[in-house]
PDB file of all heavy atoms in Angstrom:
ATOM      1  N   GLU A 481     -17.706  -2.595  -9.952  1.00  0.00           N
ATOM      2  CA  GLU A 481     -17.647  -1.572  -8.737  1.00  0.00           C
ATOM      3  C   GLU A 481     -17.231  -2.417  -7.522  1.00  0.00           C
ATOM      4  O   GLU A 481     -16.461  -1.885  -6.656  1.00  0.00           O
ATOM      5  CB  GLU A 481     -18.966  -1.064  -8.595  1.00  0.00           C
ATOM      6  CG  GLU A 481     -19.107  -0.159  -7.375  1.00  0.00           C
ATOM      7  CD  GLU A 481     -18.089   1.036  -7.298  1.00  0.00           C
ATOM      8  OE1 GLU A 481     -17.556   1.343  -8.380  1.00  0.00           O
ATOM      9  OE2 GLU A 481     -17.941   1.587  -6.212  1.00  0.00           O
ATOM     10  N   ASP A 482     -17.776  -3.649  -7.183  1.00  0.00           N
ATOM     11  CA  ASP A 482     -17.382  -4.379  -6.118  1.00  0.00           C
ATOM     12  C   ASP A 482     -15.841  -4.663  -6.215  1.00  0.00           C
ATOM     13  O   ASP A 482     -15.155  -4.425  -5.061  1.00  0.00           O
ATOM     14  CB  ASP A 482     -18.055  -5.759  -6.075  1.00  0.00           C
ATOM     15  CG  ASP A 482     -19.608  -5.680  -5.888  1.00  0.00           C
ATOM     16  OD1 ASP A 482     -20.141  -4.593  -5.526  1.00  0.00           O
ATOM     17  OD2 ASP A 482     -20.286  -6.646  -6.259  1.00  0.00           O
ATOM     18  N   THR A 483     -15.402  -5.051  -7.302  1.00  0.00           N
ATOM     19  CA  THR A 483     -13.986  -5.389  -7.333  1.00  0.00           C
ATOM     20  C   THR A 483     -13.124  -4.117  -7.262  1.00  0.00           C
ATOM     21  O   THR A 483     -12.091  -4.085  -6.512  1.00  0.00           O
ATOM     22  CB  THR A 483     -13.612  -6.043  -8.790  1.00  0.00           C
ATOM     23  OG1 THR A 483     -14.446  -7.166  -8.920  1.00  0.00           O
ATOM     24  CG2 THR A 483     -12.202  -6.326  -8.924  1.00  0.00           C
ATOM     25  N   ARG A 484     -13.515  -3.018  -7.801  1.00  0.00           N
ATOM     26  CA  ARG A 484     -12.793  -1.727  -7.663  1.00  0.00           C
ATOM     27  C   ARG A 484     -12.695  -1.332  -6.273  1.00  0.00           C
ATOM     28  O   ARG A 484     -11.638  -0.940  -5.714  1.00  0.00           O
ATOM     29  CB  ARG A 484     -13.483  -0.628  -8.576  1.00  0.00           C
ATOM     30  CG  ARG A 484     -12.768   0.770  -8.456  1.00  0.00           C
ATOM     31  CD  ARG A 484     -13.680   1.847  -8.727  1.00  0.00           C
ATOM     32  NE  ARG A 484     -14.679   2.012  -7.844  1.00  0.00           N
ATOM     33  CZ  ARG A 484     -14.646   2.720  -6.740  1.00  0.00           C
ATOM     34  NH1 ARG A 484     -13.438   3.158  -6.353  1.00  0.00           N
ATOM     35  NH2 ARG A 484     -15.698   2.831  -5.873  1.00  0.00           N
ATOM     36  N   LEU A 485     -13.861  -1.421  -5.593  1.00  0.00           N
ATOM     37  CA  LEU A 485     -13.880  -1.033  -4.234  1.00  0.00           C
ATOM     38  C   LEU A 485     -13.033  -1.959  -3.300  1.00  0.00           C
ATOM     39  O   LEU A 485     -12.192  -1.353  -2.472  1.00  0.00           O
ATOM     40  CB  LEU A 485     -15.354  -1.063  -3.639  1.00  0.00           C
ATOM     41  CG  LEU A 485     -15.556  -0.516  -2.317  1.00  0.00           C
ATOM     42  CD1 LEU A 485     -16.920   0.223  -2.189  1.00  0.00           C
ATOM     43  CD2 LEU A 485     -15.476  -1.592  -1.164  1.00  0.00           C
ATOM     44  N   LEU A 486     -13.010  -3.166  -3.462  1.00  0.00           N
ATOM     45  CA  LEU A 486     -12.312  -4.114  -2.659  1.00  0.00           C
ATOM     46  C   LEU A 486     -10.684  -3.806  -2.910  1.00  0.00           C
ATOM     47  O   LEU A 486      -9.904  -3.870  -2.024  1.00  0.00           O
ATOM     48  CB  LEU A 486     -12.515  -5.549  -2.969  1.00  0.00           C
ATOM     49  CG  LEU A 486     -13.885  -6.107  -2.286  1.00  0.00           C
ATOM     50  CD1 LEU A 486     -14.305  -7.355  -2.926  1.00  0.00           C
ATOM     51  CD2 LEU A 486     -13.730  -6.068  -0.797  1.00  0.00           C
ATOM     52  N   ILE A 487     -10.423  -3.578  -4.265  1.00  0.00           N
ATOM     53  CA  ILE A 487      -8.960  -3.287  -4.586  1.00  0.00           C
ATOM     54  C   ILE A 487      -8.550  -2.070  -3.936  1.00  0.00           C
ATOM     55  O   ILE A 487      -7.431  -1.986  -3.253  1.00  0.00           O
ATOM     56  CB  ILE A 487      -8.797  -3.327  -6.098  1.00  0.00           C
ATOM     57  CG1 ILE A 487      -8.866  -4.720  -6.703  1.00  0.00           C
ATOM     58  CG2 ILE A 487      -7.390  -2.692  -6.479  1.00  0.00           C
ATOM     59  CD1 ILE A 487      -8.906  -4.828  -8.102  1.00  0.00           C
ATOM     60  N   LYS A 488      -9.321  -1.008  -3.940  1.00  0.00           N
ATOM     61  CA  LYS A 488      -9.024   0.258  -3.326  1.00  0.00           C
ATOM     62  C   LYS A 488      -8.854   0.119  -1.792  1.00  0.00           C
ATOM     63  O   LYS A 488      -8.140   0.825  -1.215  1.00  0.00           O
ATOM     64  CB  LYS A 488     -10.042   1.290  -3.649  1.00  0.00           C
ATOM     65  CG  LYS A 488     -10.127   1.704  -5.109  1.00  0.00           C
ATOM     66  CD  LYS A 488      -8.941   2.578  -5.497  1.00  0.00           C
ATOM     67  CE  LYS A 488      -9.007   3.904  -5.086  1.00  0.00           C
ATOM     68  NZ  LYS A 488      -7.876   4.801  -5.633  1.00  0.00           N
ATOM     69  N   GLN A 489      -9.492  -0.911  -1.213  1.00  0.00           N
ATOM     70  CA  GLN A 489      -9.347  -1.151   0.099  1.00  0.00           C
ATOM     71  C   GLN A 489      -8.231  -2.294   0.475  1.00  0.00           C
ATOM     72  O   GLN A 489      -8.095  -2.645   1.648  1.00  0.00           O
ATOM     73  CB  GLN A 489     -10.671  -1.613   0.795  1.00  0.00           C
ATOM     74  CG  GLN A 489     -11.732  -0.596   0.654  1.00  0.00           C
ATOM     75  CD  GLN A 489     -11.393   0.583   1.438  1.00  0.00           C
ATOM     76  OE1 GLN A 489     -10.975   0.648   2.670  1.00  0.00           O
ATOM     77  NE2 GLN A 489     -11.468   1.786   0.724  1.00  0.00           N
ATOM     78  N   ASN A 490      -7.449  -2.517  -0.514  1.00  0.00           N
ATOM     79  CA  ASN A 490      -6.323  -3.560  -0.327  1.00  0.00           C
ATOM     80  C   ASN A 490      -6.846  -4.828   0.161  1.00  0.00           C
ATOM     81  O   ASN A 490      -6.051  -5.540   0.917  1.00  0.00           O
ATOM     82  CB  ASN A 490      -5.232  -2.915   0.590  1.00  0.00           C
ATOM     83  CG  ASN A 490      -4.474  -1.866  -0.019  1.00  0.00           C
ATOM     84  OD1 ASN A 490      -4.142  -1.940  -1.319  1.00  0.00           O
ATOM     85  ND2 ASN A 490      -4.086  -0.968   0.783  1.00  0.00           N
ATOM     86  N   GLN A 491      -7.928  -5.270  -0.329  1.00  0.00           N
ATOM     87  CA  GLN A 491      -8.574  -6.524   0.107  1.00  0.00           C
ATOM     88  C   GLN A 491      -8.288  -7.561  -0.930  1.00  0.00           C
ATOM     89  O   GLN A 491      -8.640  -7.374  -2.153  1.00  0.00           O
ATOM     90  CB  GLN A 491     -10.049  -6.420   0.491  1.00  0.00           C
ATOM     91  CG  GLN A 491     -10.276  -5.481   1.534  1.00  0.00           C
ATOM     92  CD  GLN A 491      -9.749  -6.020   2.811  1.00  0.00           C
ATOM     93  OE1 GLN A 491      -9.813  -7.173   3.223  1.00  0.00           O
ATOM     94  NE2 GLN A 491      -9.027  -5.155   3.475  1.00  0.00           N
ATOM     95  N   GLY A 492      -7.718  -8.703  -0.641  1.00  0.00           N
ATOM     96  CA  GLY A 492      -7.703  -9.953  -1.437  1.00  0.00           C
ATOM     97  C   GLY A 492      -7.071  -9.717  -2.804  1.00  0.00           C
ATOM     98  O   GLY A 492      -7.471 -10.274  -3.778  1.00  0.00           O
ATOM     99  N   LEU A 493      -6.023  -8.830  -2.823  1.00  0.00           N
ATOM    100  CA  LEU A 493      -5.375  -8.446  -4.114  1.00  0.00           C
ATOM    101  C   LEU A 493      -4.870  -9.784  -4.879  1.00  0.00           C
ATOM    102  O   LEU A 493      -5.074  -9.758  -6.189  1.00  0.00           O
ATOM    103  CB  LEU A 493      -4.261  -7.552  -3.938  1.00  0.00           C
ATOM    104  CG  LEU A 493      -4.695  -6.192  -3.312  1.00  0.00           C
ATOM    105  CD1 LEU A 493      -3.514  -5.190  -3.101  1.00  0.00           C
ATOM    106  CD2 LEU A 493      -5.680  -5.460  -4.126  1.00  0.00           C
ATOM    107  N   HIS A 494      -4.328 -10.715  -4.349  1.00  0.00           N
ATOM    108  CA  HIS A 494      -3.901 -11.775  -5.034  1.00  0.00           C
ATOM    109  C   HIS A 494      -4.955 -12.584  -5.678  1.00  0.00           C
ATOM    110  O   HIS A 494      -4.811 -13.277  -6.743  1.00  0.00           O
ATOM    111  CB  HIS A 494      -3.019 -12.846  -4.115  1.00  0.00           C
ATOM    112  CG  HIS A 494      -1.753 -12.316  -3.786  1.00  0.00           C
ATOM    113  ND1 HIS A 494      -0.716 -12.267  -4.587  1.00  0.00           N
ATOM    114  CD2 HIS A 494      -1.332 -11.722  -2.557  1.00  0.00           C
ATOM    115  CE1 HIS A 494       0.359 -11.797  -3.977  1.00  0.00           C
ATOM    116  NE2 HIS A 494       0.042 -11.478  -2.724  1.00  0.00           N
ATOM    117  N   HIS A 495      -6.164 -12.419  -5.155  1.00  0.00           N
ATOM    118  CA  HIS A 495      -7.448 -13.206  -5.663  1.00  0.00           C
ATOM    119  C   HIS A 495      -8.207 -12.262  -6.554  1.00  0.00           C
ATOM    120  O   HIS A 495      -8.766 -12.783  -7.576  1.00  0.00           O
ATOM    121  CB  HIS A 495      -8.285 -13.668  -4.563  1.00  0.00           C
ATOM    122  CG  HIS A 495      -7.556 -14.535  -3.632  1.00  0.00           C
ATOM    123  ND1 HIS A 495      -7.241 -15.845  -3.943  1.00  0.00           N
ATOM    124  CD2 HIS A 495      -7.108 -14.382  -2.291  1.00  0.00           C
ATOM    125  CE1 HIS A 495      -6.603 -16.363  -2.785  1.00  0.00           C
ATOM    126  NE2 HIS A 495      -6.679 -15.419  -1.855  1.00  0.00           N
ATOM    127  N   LEU A 496      -8.145 -10.953  -6.347  1.00  0.00           N
ATOM    128  CA  LEU A 496      -8.952 -10.077  -7.237  1.00  0.00           C
ATOM    129  C   LEU A 496      -8.151  -9.520  -8.469  1.00  0.00           C
ATOM    130  O   LEU A 496      -8.968  -9.213  -9.383  1.00  0.00           O
ATOM    131  CB  LEU A 496      -9.416  -8.897  -6.351  1.00  0.00           C
ATOM    132  CG  LEU A 496     -10.315  -9.290  -5.234  1.00  0.00           C
ATOM    133  CD1 LEU A 496     -10.666  -8.035  -4.331  1.00  0.00           C
ATOM    134  CD2 LEU A 496     -11.615  -9.898  -5.854  1.00  0.00           C
ATOM    135  N   LEU A 497      -6.938  -9.387  -8.484  1.00  0.00           N
ATOM    136  CA  LEU A 497      -6.226  -8.662  -9.590  1.00  0.00           C
ATOM    137  C   LEU A 497      -6.339  -9.629 -10.834  1.00  0.00           C
ATOM    138  O   LEU A 497      -6.682  -8.952 -11.937  1.00  0.00           O
ATOM    139  CB  LEU A 497      -4.806  -8.461  -9.274  1.00  0.00           C
ATOM    140  CG  LEU A 497      -4.668  -7.241  -8.267  1.00  0.00           C
ATOM    141  CD1 LEU A 497      -3.139  -7.068  -8.052  1.00  0.00           C
ATOM    142  CD2 LEU A 497      -5.261  -5.976  -8.874  1.00  0.00           C
ATOM    143  N   PRO A 498      -6.240 -10.934 -10.733  1.00  0.00           N
ATOM    144  CA  PRO A 498      -6.347 -11.668 -12.026  1.00  0.00           C
ATOM    145  C   PRO A 498      -7.767 -11.385 -12.671  1.00  0.00           C
ATOM    146  O   PRO A 498      -7.798 -11.211 -13.820  1.00  0.00           O
ATOM    147  CB  PRO A 498      -6.098 -13.163 -11.720  1.00  0.00           C
ATOM    148  CG  PRO A 498      -5.144 -13.085 -10.396  1.00  0.00           C
ATOM    149  CD  PRO A 498      -5.722 -11.831  -9.702  1.00  0.00           C
ATOM    150  N   PRO A 499      -8.816 -11.652 -11.825  1.00  0.00           N
ATOM    151  CA  PRO A 499     -10.189 -11.334 -12.668  1.00  0.00           C
ATOM    152  C   PRO A 499     -10.321  -9.917 -12.970  1.00  0.00           C
ATOM    153  O   PRO A 499     -10.977  -9.650 -14.073  1.00  0.00           O
ATOM    154  CB  PRO A 499     -11.137 -11.840 -11.675  1.00  0.00           C
ATOM    155  CG  PRO A 499     -10.627 -12.123 -10.422  1.00  0.00           C
ATOM    156  CD  PRO A 499      -9.081 -12.143 -10.602  1.00  0.00           C
ATOM    157  N   ALA A 500      -9.753  -8.962 -12.243  1.00  0.00           N
ATOM    158  CA  ALA A 500      -9.829  -7.494 -12.703  1.00  0.00           C
ATOM    159  C   ALA A 500      -9.100  -7.417 -13.956  1.00  0.00           C
ATOM    160  O   ALA A 500      -9.579  -6.742 -14.917  1.00  0.00           O
ATOM    161  CB  ALA A 500      -9.316  -6.696 -11.615  1.00  0.00           C
ATOM    162  N   LEU A 501      -7.833  -7.988 -14.131  1.00  0.00           N
ATOM    163  CA  LEU A 501      -7.212  -7.809 -15.477  1.00  0.00           C
ATOM    164  C   LEU A 501      -8.003  -8.514 -16.527  1.00  0.00           C
ATOM    165  O   LEU A 501      -7.828  -8.083 -17.771  1.00  0.00           O
ATOM    166  CB  LEU A 501      -5.798  -8.412 -15.331  1.00  0.00           C
ATOM    167  CG  LEU A 501      -4.894  -7.604 -14.342  1.00  0.00           C
ATOM    168  CD1 LEU A 501      -3.528  -8.349 -14.103  1.00  0.00           C
ATOM    169  CD2 LEU A 501      -4.640  -6.307 -14.882  1.00  0.00           C
ATOM    170  N   GLU A 502      -8.704  -9.639 -16.317  1.00  0.00           N
ATOM    171  CA  GLU A 502      -9.467 -10.191 -17.388  1.00  0.00           C
ATOM    172  C   GLU A 502     -10.630  -9.227 -17.904  1.00  0.00           C
ATOM    173  O   GLU A 502     -10.835  -9.010 -19.103  1.00  0.00           O
ATOM    174  CB  GLU A 502     -10.269 -11.514 -16.824  1.00  0.00           C
ATOM    175  CG  GLU A 502      -9.279 -12.659 -16.643  1.00  0.00           C
ATOM    176  CD  GLU A 502     -10.004 -13.838 -15.975  1.00  0.00           C
ATOM    177  OE1 GLU A 502     -11.283 -13.807 -15.956  1.00  0.00           O
ATOM    178  OE2 GLU A 502      -9.323 -14.700 -15.481  1.00  0.00           O
ATOM    179  N   VAL A 503     -11.096  -8.417 -16.938  1.00  0.00           N
ATOM    180  CA  VAL A 503     -12.190  -7.535 -17.348  1.00  0.00           C
ATOM    181  C   VAL A 503     -11.414  -6.339 -18.207  1.00  0.00           C
ATOM    182  O   VAL A 503     -11.929  -5.955 -19.215  1.00  0.00           O
ATOM    183  CB  VAL A 503     -12.849  -6.898 -16.030  1.00  0.00           C
ATOM    184  CG1 VAL A 503     -13.589  -5.605 -16.503  1.00  0.00           C
ATOM    185  CG2 VAL A 503     -13.699  -7.859 -15.410  1.00  0.00           C
ATOM    186  N   LEU A 504     -10.343  -5.929 -17.709  1.00  0.00           N
ATOM    187  CA  LEU A 504      -9.597  -4.850 -18.318  1.00  0.00           C
ATOM    188  C   LEU A 504      -9.126  -5.269 -19.828  1.00  0.00           C
ATOM    189  O   LEU A 504      -8.992  -4.437 -20.640  1.00  0.00           O
ATOM    190  CB  LEU A 504      -8.436  -4.345 -17.499  1.00  0.00           C
ATOM    191  CG  LEU A 504      -8.895  -3.697 -16.224  1.00  0.00           C
ATOM    192  CD1 LEU A 504      -7.655  -3.358 -15.287  1.00  0.00           C
ATOM    193  CD2 LEU A 504      -9.735  -2.254 -16.504  1.00  0.00           C
ATOM    194  N   ARG A 505      -8.771  -6.512 -19.939  1.00  0.00           N
ATOM    195  CA  ARG A 505      -8.381  -6.990 -21.281  1.00  0.00           C
ATOM    196  C   ARG A 505      -9.497  -6.783 -22.292  1.00  0.00           C
ATOM    197  O   ARG A 505      -9.232  -6.381 -23.454  1.00  0.00           O
ATOM    198  CB  ARG A 505      -7.913  -8.417 -21.272  1.00  0.00           C
ATOM    199  CG  ARG A 505      -6.455  -8.625 -20.914  1.00  0.00           C
ATOM    200  CD  ARG A 505      -6.122 -10.234 -21.033  1.00  0.00           C
ATOM    201  NE  ARG A 505      -5.170 -10.492 -20.042  1.00  0.00           N
ATOM    202  CZ  ARG A 505      -5.534 -11.160 -18.929  1.00  0.00           C
ATOM    203  NH1 ARG A 505      -6.756 -11.625 -18.723  1.00  0.00           N
ATOM    204  NH2 ARG A 505      -4.651 -11.326 -17.887  1.00  0.00           N
ATOM    205  N   LEU A 506     -10.688  -7.025 -21.824  1.00  0.00           N
ATOM    206  CA  LEU A 506     -11.874  -6.886 -22.695  1.00  0.00           C
ATOM    207  C   LEU A 506     -12.306  -5.381 -22.858  1.00  0.00           C
ATOM    208  O   LEU A 506     -12.749  -4.947 -23.882  1.00  0.00           O
ATOM    209  CB  LEU A 506     -13.099  -7.640 -22.027  1.00  0.00           C
ATOM    210  CG  LEU A 506     -12.905  -9.138 -22.050  1.00  0.00           C
ATOM    211  CD1 LEU A 506     -14.040  -9.796 -21.412  1.00  0.00           C
ATOM    212  CD2 LEU A 506     -12.772  -9.761 -23.492  1.00  0.00           C
ATOM    213  N   ASP A 507     -12.094  -4.706 -21.751  1.00  0.00           N
ATOM    214  CA  ASP A 507     -12.499  -3.247 -21.772  1.00  0.00           C
ATOM    215  C   ASP A 507     -11.603  -2.432 -20.804  1.00  0.00           C
ATOM    216  O   ASP A 507     -12.006  -2.359 -19.646  1.00  0.00           O
ATOM    217  CB  ASP A 507     -14.003  -3.073 -21.354  1.00  0.00           C
ATOM    218  CG  ASP A 507     -14.455  -1.720 -21.340  1.00  0.00           C
ATOM    219  OD1 ASP A 507     -13.749  -0.802 -21.812  1.00  0.00           O
ATOM    220  OD2 ASP A 507     -15.558  -1.360 -20.797  1.00  0.00           O
ATOM    221  N   PRO A 508     -10.536  -1.910 -21.273  1.00  0.00           N
ATOM    222  CA  PRO A 508      -9.562  -1.144 -20.361  1.00  0.00           C
ATOM    223  C   PRO A 508     -10.327   0.100 -19.680  1.00  0.00           C
ATOM    224  O   PRO A 508      -9.745   0.385 -18.636  1.00  0.00           O
ATOM    225  CB  PRO A 508      -8.527  -0.674 -21.380  1.00  0.00           C
ATOM    226  CG  PRO A 508      -8.551  -1.493 -22.498  1.00  0.00           C
ATOM    227  CD  PRO A 508     -10.041  -2.012 -22.643  1.00  0.00           C
ATOM    228  N   MET A 509     -11.372   0.487 -20.188  1.00  0.00           N
ATOM    229  CA  MET A 509     -12.084   1.629 -19.593  1.00  0.00           C
ATOM    230  C   MET A 509     -13.329   1.264 -18.795  1.00  0.00           C
ATOM    231  O   MET A 509     -14.135   1.996 -18.508  1.00  0.00           O
ATOM    232  CB  MET A 509     -12.409   2.641 -20.695  1.00  0.00           C
ATOM    233  CG  MET A 509     -11.310   3.237 -21.474  1.00  0.00           C
ATOM    234  SD  MET A 509      -9.981   3.932 -20.456  1.00  0.00           S
ATOM    235  CE  MET A 509     -10.844   5.426 -19.947  1.00  0.00           C
ATOM    236  N   ALA A 510     -13.308  -0.020 -18.425  1.00  0.00           N
ATOM    237  CA  ALA A 510     -14.460  -0.593 -17.671  1.00  0.00           C
ATOM    238  C   ALA A 510     -14.587   0.352 -16.340  1.00  0.00           C
ATOM    239  O   ALA A 510     -13.635   0.820 -15.787  1.00  0.00           O
ATOM    240  CB  ALA A 510     -14.092  -2.015 -17.125  1.00  0.00           C
ATOM    241  N   GLU A 511     -15.818   0.585 -16.008  1.00  0.00           N
ATOM    242  CA  GLU A 511     -16.046   1.541 -14.903  1.00  0.00           C
ATOM    243  C   GLU A 511     -17.028   0.886 -13.919  1.00  0.00           C
ATOM    244  O   GLU A 511     -17.905   0.164 -14.263  1.00  0.00           O
ATOM    245  CB  GLU A 511     -16.645   2.861 -15.361  1.00  0.00           C
ATOM    246  CG  GLU A 511     -17.979   2.742 -16.029  1.00  0.00           C
ATOM    247  CD  GLU A 511     -18.340   4.076 -16.579  1.00  0.00           C
ATOM    248  OE1 GLU A 511     -18.759   4.995 -15.607  1.00  0.00           O
ATOM    249  OE2 GLU A 511     -18.384   4.403 -17.793  1.00  0.00           O
ATOM    250  N   GLY A 512     -16.792   1.330 -12.630  1.00  0.00           N
ATOM    251  CA  GLY A 512     -17.717   0.978 -11.595  1.00  0.00           C
ATOM    252  C   GLY A 512     -18.672   2.159 -11.556  1.00  0.00           C
ATOM    253  O   GLY A 512     -19.237   2.539 -12.439  1.00  0.00           O
ATOM    254  N   HIS A 513     -18.752   2.742 -10.297  1.00  0.00           N
ATOM    255  CA  HIS A 513     -19.644   3.778 -10.074  1.00  0.00           C
ATOM    256  C   HIS A 513     -18.958   5.195  -9.955  1.00  0.00           C
ATOM    257  O   HIS A 513     -19.711   6.232  -9.725  1.00  0.00           O
ATOM    258  CB  HIS A 513     -20.497   3.641  -8.765  1.00  0.00           C
ATOM    259  CG  HIS A 513     -21.257   2.386  -8.743  1.00  0.00           C
ATOM    260  ND1 HIS A 513     -21.896   1.822  -7.665  1.00  0.00           N
ATOM    261  CD2 HIS A 513     -21.778   1.656  -9.833  1.00  0.00           C
ATOM    262  CE1 HIS A 513     -22.632   0.841  -7.981  1.00  0.00           C
ATOM    263  NE2 HIS A 513     -22.563   0.702  -9.264  1.00  0.00           N
ATOM    264  N   MET A 514     -17.701   5.210 -10.287  1.00  0.00           N
ATOM    265  CA  MET A 514     -17.055   6.446 -10.123  1.00  0.00           C
ATOM    266  C   MET A 514     -16.843   7.179 -11.504  1.00  0.00           C
ATOM    267  O   MET A 514     -17.393   8.187 -11.659  1.00  0.00           O
ATOM    268  CB  MET A 514     -15.654   6.312  -9.596  1.00  0.00           C
ATOM    269  CG  MET A 514     -15.650   5.616  -8.174  1.00  0.00           C
ATOM    270  SD  MET A 514     -16.467   6.638  -6.919  1.00  0.00           S
ATOM    271  CE  MET A 514     -15.204   7.912  -6.704  1.00  0.00           C
ATOM    272  N   TYR A 515     -16.123   6.578 -12.458  1.00  0.00           N
ATOM    273  CA  TYR A 515     -15.845   7.258 -13.717  1.00  0.00           C
ATOM    274  C   TYR A 515     -15.357   6.170 -14.651  1.00  0.00           C
ATOM    275  O   TYR A 515     -14.901   5.045 -14.209  1.00  0.00           O
ATOM    276  CB  TYR A 515     -14.964   8.503 -13.638  1.00  0.00           C
ATOM    277  CG  TYR A 515     -13.575   8.072 -12.899  1.00  0.00           C
ATOM    278  CD1 TYR A 515     -12.586   7.598 -13.722  1.00  0.00           C
ATOM    279  CD2 TYR A 515     -13.540   8.306 -11.611  1.00  0.00           C
ATOM    280  CE1 TYR A 515     -11.355   7.308 -13.102  1.00  0.00           C
ATOM    281  CE2 TYR A 515     -12.278   7.986 -11.023  1.00  0.00           C
ATOM    282  CZ  TYR A 515     -11.149   7.483 -11.696  1.00  0.00           C
ATOM    283  OH  TYR A 515      -9.965   7.125 -11.068  1.00  0.00           O
ATOM    284  N   GLU A 516     -15.332   6.514 -15.914  1.00  0.00           N
ATOM    285  CA  GLU A 516     -14.917   5.540 -16.992  1.00  0.00           C
ATOM    286  C   GLU A 516     -13.415   5.280 -16.721  1.00  0.00           C
ATOM    287  O   GLU A 516     -12.573   6.329 -16.497  1.00  0.00           O
ATOM    288  CB  GLU A 516     -15.010   6.194 -18.342  1.00  0.00           C
ATOM    289  CG  GLU A 516     -14.696   5.282 -19.483  1.00  0.00           C
ATOM    290  CD  GLU A 516     -14.889   5.880 -20.831  1.00  0.00           C
ATOM    291  OE1 GLU A 516     -14.767   7.037 -20.946  1.00  0.00           O
ATOM    292  OE2 GLU A 516     -15.114   5.093 -21.727  1.00  0.00           O
ATOM    293  N   GLY A 517     -13.013   4.067 -16.557  1.00  0.00           N
ATOM    294  CA  GLY A 517     -11.599   3.751 -16.319  1.00  0.00           C
ATOM    295  C   GLY A 517     -11.244   3.633 -14.853  1.00  0.00           C
ATOM    296  O   GLY A 517     -10.170   3.511 -14.570  1.00  0.00           O
TER     297      GLY A 517
END
């Protein structure tokens, strides 16, 4: 959820996208507090 929120706010994309993609490789439908995926 923290990562999703920061990405949606265009914060630190160069630093956050690589770990976000690691999460998505394991679970493409990973969810924060909004909805699956």
Side-chain angles (χ1 to χ4, degrees):
E481 175 61 13
D482 296 340
T483 304
R484 182 200 67 79
L485 188 144
L486 286 167
I487 289 171
K488 291 292 276 186
Q489 295 302 307
N490 287 324
Q491 296 300 308
L493 296 179
H494 287 287
H495 302 289
L496 294 176
L497 287 179
L501 290 174
E502 288 175 17
V503 169
L504 293 171
R505 272 187 220 103
L506 297 173
D507 180 8
M509 299 305 289
E511 66 181 287
H513 295 161
M514 301 295 288
Y515 55 88
E516 187 178 30

